[in-house]
Each structure stands twice: as structure tokens, then as C-alpha cells.
Amino acid sequence: MVKKIFSGVQPTGNLHLGNYLGAIKNFVELQNQDKNECVYCVVDLHAITTKQDPKILKNNIRETTAAFLASGLNHNKSIIFQQSLVPAHSEGSWLLGCIARMGWLNRMTQFKEKAGKDKEKASIGLYIYPVLMAADILLYDSTHVPVGEDQKQHLELSRDIAQKFNLDFNKPNFLKVPNPLIQKKFARIMSLKDGTKKMSKSDPSDLSRINLTDSEDEIINKIRKAKTDTESLPDNEIDLSKRPEAENLLGIYSSLTNQSLQNSINEFSGKNFSDFKKNLTDLIVAKIIPISNEINKLKKEKNFIDNVLSEGSVKADKISSNKVKEIKKIIGF
Ligand code: AMP
Ligand code: TRP
């Protein structure tokens, strides 16, 4: 079976190791498997659900695209495009917004987190954000959607919308019900300053995350300052699970080496953090610095990046505008 893959990343700056290990690394592996048809989107319409500075946004759209390419996505193998260049996403979002129920959206925990205490002041866009995400996915007949753990609930909503549409209009299987592809292990990379909070673009402390554009010195400094405890490293997963910072750092190590957590535990049990941190730093530098260098190089090639996005958007438009046409016909327009 051909797998149709779709995923997106918001161009909101500070792309970090969590984005890489939770999502982008997986995008590249899926692209490189035979027969998969992959579509990867820079979701700028999602980004404006919170306030953005126009100049910075433009820069971030290019930087996110550069990060895709620098991480190994290839615009000749995958469709790489910019959401706002493809009108079907906005139109599809309206059409599907009339299928989604308020009760479903009211349950979305990301809205509650992002809107904070004063949700009366949140944009309507932030509230209906998961409907736009459903349009992204469903307009491409996507079968698999690689995302980090935090997007699981939004994906379930996409599935509910697809099923209700098919049922309401008696069109079984017309909208394909997508499957989440969430790595079971290390699905959430946590902050370097607090092992109970996820690593995030918006954390005010830059020391909480490894950015994909960090220099070697920054990486060395951030791992040196990463929070730890005073004990040496344990010899089993149960003891490790009681120590969130140690668990996160060993998780990062395991994910970057593609080995099991138990293997990493075996490698470092009984050692102190300074030994382990040295190995971890070398590993992160070896994996991230080539990406960082490439992003910084590509960022200067603005015309090239803009062309990748506009060519990708033409391909994406062909697929999605056609699906919107079919949806409109079914609705009765
Ligand atoms: P965003 O930056 O919110 O657009 O997220 C882009 C992708 O990275 C999504 O698939 C997220 O689930 C994933 N992601 C973001 N933060 C983390 C994290 N700390 N750990 C793992 N995955 C993450
Ligand atoms: N909401 C996702 C995030 O914040 C980004 C996104 C938008 C997405 N549309 C998508 C992810 C479609 C997967 C599929 O990370």
C-alpha cells in the first residue's frame, strides 16, 4: 500500500531538538522509504493564530524551510510548500468547520494551555486551529501523519471530522481517516531546565532548549548547564523514571544514537553526570552542527528557498483544490 504522509511545522522561530527528534527526523525517514508519497507544509496560517511580527514571520518561514532541507528533506522527492500560498487550506477549513462540533473543540487541551487564563482574549483562529489542521490533512487523502505526542488530540479530531463528513453525506471512505505516527519512545523531549516541562520554542529561557541553529559553543554551554541531580546514573528504567532530567538526557542520547533506552542505561550506569554529559555533548554537536551550518548557509539563499516553496505550492494546489471541488459538490454547491 502506498502511504500518503502529511505533516506540518509552524514557522514560529527557535526550531529545536524536540522538533527534530519528535517530528522532522521522522519526516526524513518516511521520505526515504520506498513508495511513500510525502507532503510537508510550513504552516504559516497556523502561526498567525498568535500575534506575529510580519518581518520576523517572513524570516521564520524561510528558516523553517531551510531546516527541513538541512535535515534531509528533498524537494524533488517530497512536496515541500507554504500553507498560505494554497487557498484550498483556508477554504477547506471553513467547509470542515461546519462539520466539527463546538463540544469537540472545547476539549482541546492545547487551546486551554495557549489561551491561558484569559481565554476571552484568545483569537478565534486559535480556537479553530485544529479544524485548519484537519483540512491540511484531509485534503491530501493522507493516510499517515507523523507528529509529536502533543498533537495526538488534534489528530483524533481530524479523524472525527472525516468520519462525520462521510456519515452526514453518506459517502463512506470519501475523506480518508488518517493514522497518527507518533514515536512511542522519546515522543516528548523535555526542557533542559525542567524535566517535567516540554522543550518549547516559546520558553523565555534559551538555555531550556538546543536550537537547530545553535553553534558548538552554545551546545556545549547548554548541556553543561542542563539541570541534573546529584546521584550517579541508575542501572534500570524504573529508577530512571523517577528522575525526569536524567531520563530526558538519556532519552535524547538514545534517540540520537537510534538505540534503546536500556542500551544507553547500560552504557552509563554508575557513572556520574559529568562523564555522561561529555558524551552527550559530543553526540549532539556531531548531529546538530552539520544541520545548523546548512541552515545558516541556506538562509542566505533566499531566492532558492522561495522557489522551493512556490514550486511545492503549485503541486500542493493541484491536489488540494481538486479535493475542495469534490467536497463542495458533495455539500450541494
Ligand atoms: P510546532 O513547533 O508546534 O509546530 O511543532 C512541530 C512538530 O514538532 C510537531 O509534530 C510537534 O509535535 C513536535 N514537537 C514540538 N515540541 C516537541 C517536543 N518538545 N518533543 C517532541 N516533539 C515536539
Ligand atoms: N499543529 C501542528 C503543530 O503545532 C502543526 C500542523 C499544522 C500539522 N497542520 C498539520 C501537523 C497537519 C501535522 C499535520 O505542531
Side-chain angles (χ1 to χ4, degrees):
M1 192 191 84
V2 177
K3 281 193 195 146
K4 295 194 177 186
I5 313 286
F6 189 102
S7 197
V9 175
Q10 297 189 63
T12 36
N14 297 337
L15 273 178
H16 53 69
L17 193 61
N19 296 125
Y20 179 70
L21 294 177
I24 302 172
K25 180 167 171 261
N26 215 359
F27 297 178
V28 178
E29 280 162 17
L30 289 162
Q31 165 194 267
N32 295 338
Q33 283 165 16
D34 268 357
K35 292 208 187 128
N36 289 350
E37 291 173 10
C38 301
V39 183
Y40 297 118
C41 184
V42 179
V43 289
D44 53 357
L45 296 172
H46 279 100
I48 60 162
T49 55
T50 55
K51 198 165 193 302
Q52 302 295 329
D53 176 315
K55 281 207 189 84
I56 298 176
L57 179 62
K58 181 115 205 153
N59 211 30
N60 283 339
I61 291 168
R62 292 193 177 116
E63 187 168 305
T64 304
T65 313
F68 279 179
L69 298 172
S71 304
L73 289 185
N74 176 341
H75 58 291
N76 296 315
K77 279 193 193 166
S78 299
I79 298 180
I80 297 175
F81 78 105
Q82 182 180 342
Q83 194 183 28
S84 65
L85 292 180
V86 182
H89 289 251
S90 309
E91 195 175 4
S93 168
W94 177 263
L95 300 172
L96 297 177
C98 298
I99 303 295
R101 306 289 95 181
M102 297 251 316
W104 301 354
L105 285 172
N106 286 341
R107 285 199 289 273
M108 296 295 118
T109 52
Q110 192 178 79
F111 174 77
K112 290 179 198 160
E113 276 164 27
K114 286 202 177 171
K117 285 198 191 79
D118 199 356
K119 71 172 193 290
E120 301 287 314
K121 286 206 177 130
S123 73
I124 308 265
L126 189 66
Y127 181 67
I128 58 166
Y129 170 120
V131 177
L132 175 60
M133 180 162 161
D136 296 343
I137 296 167
L138 301 177
L139 293 181
Y140 295 82
D141 290 338
S142 314
T143 59
H144 294 83
V145 181
V147 280
E149 168 87 14
D150 60 337
Q151 296 300 316
K152 195 168 167 211
Q153 202 185 26
H154 291 159
L155 260 166
E156 276 158 13
L157 188 97
S158 302
R159 293 168 59 90
D160 290 342
I161 292 177
Q163 280 162 337
K164 182 164 164 54
F165 184 94
N166 294 344
L167 203 67
D168 284 359
F169 294 100
N170 194 20
K171 290 277 173 201
N173 228 5
F174 169 71
L175 291 179
K176 302 290 172 285
V177 180
N179 298 298
L181 280 182
I182 299 173
Q183 283 164 325
K184 288 191 189 68
K185 288 179 184 163
F186 329 120
R188 270 160 72 90
I189 303 297
M190 310 309 273
S191 156
L192 300 178
K193 288 275 136 203
D194 177 352
T196 63
K197 258 177 44 187
K198 80 170 187 176
M199 187 177 283
S200 153
K201 290 169 172 174
S202 55
D203 193 313
S205 167
D206 198 53
L207 290 175
S208 70
R209 63 182 163 261
I210 303 283
N211 298 306
L212 295 185
T213 49
D214 277 347
S215 66
E216 184 167 343
D217 286 346
E218 283 168 315
I219 295 173
I220 293 170
N221 185 38
K222 286 177 180 179
I223 296 300
R224 191 164 54 80
K225 293 203 170 135
K227 187 174 169 198
T228 49
D229 50 48
T230 50
E231 289 171 54
S232 57
L233 287 154
D235 61 7
N236 65 78
E237 288 191 31
I238 296 175
D239 287 347
L240 183 64
S241 69
K242 296 172 197 143
R243 298 165 61 186
E245 283 81 19
E247 186 179 33
N248 186 42
L249 294 180
L250 272 168
I252 292 174
Y253 187 86
S254 309
S255 188
L256 282 171
T257 46
N258 283 324
Q259 71 177 7
S260 70
L261 189 58
Q262 189 58 52
N263 272 353
S264 304
I265 292 175
N266 295 346
E267 214 176 316
F268 295 104
S269 85
K271 298 208 168 126
N272 57 32
F273 272 105
S274 59
D275 292 334
F276 168 58
K277 277 186 168 182
K278 192 182 169 318
N279 283 273
L280 180 63
T281 303
D282 290 347
L283 180 65
I284 298 178
V285 166
K287 298 276 178 182
I288 297 303
I289 289 301
I291 296 178
S292 171
N293 288 343
E294 185 66 15
I295 294 176
N296 288 323
K297 192 186 113 206
L298 286 171
K299 266 167 65 180
K300 292 185 202 125
E301 298 176 29
K302 289 186 184 160
N303 287 341
F304 169 70
I305 296 284
D306 291 353
N307 277 338
V308 167
L309 288 176
S310 59
E311 282 170 19
S313 299
V314 171
K315 293 181 202 159
D317 186 72
K318 275 210 183 103
I319 303 170
S320 55
S321 64
N322 203 33
K323 195 75 182 179
V324 163
K325 241 188 238 160
E326 290 180 58
I327 293 175
K328 286 166 85 173
K329 205 163 145 208
I330 290 173
I331 288 177
F333 291 159

